[in-house]
Amino acid sequence: ELNFWLGLAISLLAAGITYGTGILFASIGEIFAERAGVLNVGIEGMMLMGAVTAYLLAYRTGNAWLGLGAGVLVGGLMALLHAVVTITLRADQVVSGLALALLGSGLSAVIGAPLVEVRTASRLPEFPIPGLAAIPVLGPIFFDHNVIVYAGLLAAPLAWWYIYRTRPGMELRAIGEYPAAADALGINVIRQRYLYVVFGGMMAGLGGAALSLAITPLWIEDMTAGQGWIAVGLVIFAGWDPMRAAFGSYLFGAIRRLPLDAQNLPIFLAAPQLGYFMNMLPYLFVILLMLISARGNMRRRIGAPAALGQAYVREER
């Protein structure tokens, strides 16, 4: 029995890291965009477009890496459109993001319709790290994954280091907190916001591509299943901190896998509906976070960037 529970725990933790990778990339990208003061709720559409583009190109060319690059590029281009609308034209950031989410959802369904039955597209390789993958317990959890999963494990600490330990990271935090003061110090607020919004879109595209090329290597309509919205909520949960976002992403991945791995447990056999409830929990959690963060005083308490969602007009500083 002890071996059963240990095996279940190892399986859940390993699956959490795998299934949380796509959300992690999207969350990190959104952290950078929001730290720069621009809210992007269009992540779901960018992830879907990244996923379908990556899968289409991997299928047509037989090269998964080419597909991965295309997914990243498409996410960046969609984010560039969001940047033009919100930074240059100063349109409402929520409305623009929702439009992109709907655009990505509809367009990906049209582009991906011929790919639903395709199962022969090239995929990113699995790479058990020699020696480390054989370590009991830790090996299967951390060192026996797809290459894109390792990139996710590195992305969070690198993003944390950039934001909190480098001068560009300090400038990033400045333009999200008090852009007028940053501008007075010679920081080009508009250019920086463009840069980080596009980077955020590229990370969302990467998250989508990771789904279709590695995590669940296929294409089905709306395959993200709301993970883009989960990423937006995770940013709030993480307090705009990449390491906390990694914890939340992997936790979400483990919760999604729990009903599958634990379906033979007595509690799940006695109450099959419990699995559906477990799958619903992360989405309920995100809705709660969004409601809480909508209040201005609560946003200040949880550490939201002070200028988040506000257009910057240099002449009005």
Side-chain angles (χ1 to χ4, degrees), residues 184-262:
L185 291 173
I187 300 171
N188 190 324
V189 175
I190 301 300
R191 184 176 65 191
Q192 294 269 44
R193 284 190 167 184
Y194 261 92
L195 174 67
Y196 289 115
V197 170
V198 171
F199 174 74
M202 292 172 70
M203 291 294 285
L206 176 61
L211 287 177
S212 63
L213 296 180
I215 298 168
T216 52
L218 49 80
W219 166 258
I220 56 173
E221 187 176 338
D222 291 327
M223 71 176 299
T224 53
Q227 292 187 42
W229 302 108
I230 292 289
V232 175
L234 275 180
V235 172
I236 303 169
F237 166 78
W240 292 264
D241 183 295
M243 295 302 292
R244 293 180 189 171
F247 172 77
S249 299
Y250 295 145
L251 178 62
F252 173 80
I255 291 174
R256 287 197 66 190
R257 181 61 182 257
L258 179 59
L260 179 63
D261 282 358

Side-chain angles (χ1 to χ4, degrees), residues 87-107:
I87 299 173
T88 301
L89 302 181
R90 302 170 196 156
D92 186 277
Q93 295 177 8
V94 175
V95 173
S96 174
L98 288 174
L100 281 178
L102 294 173
L103 174 66
S105 179
L107 192 57

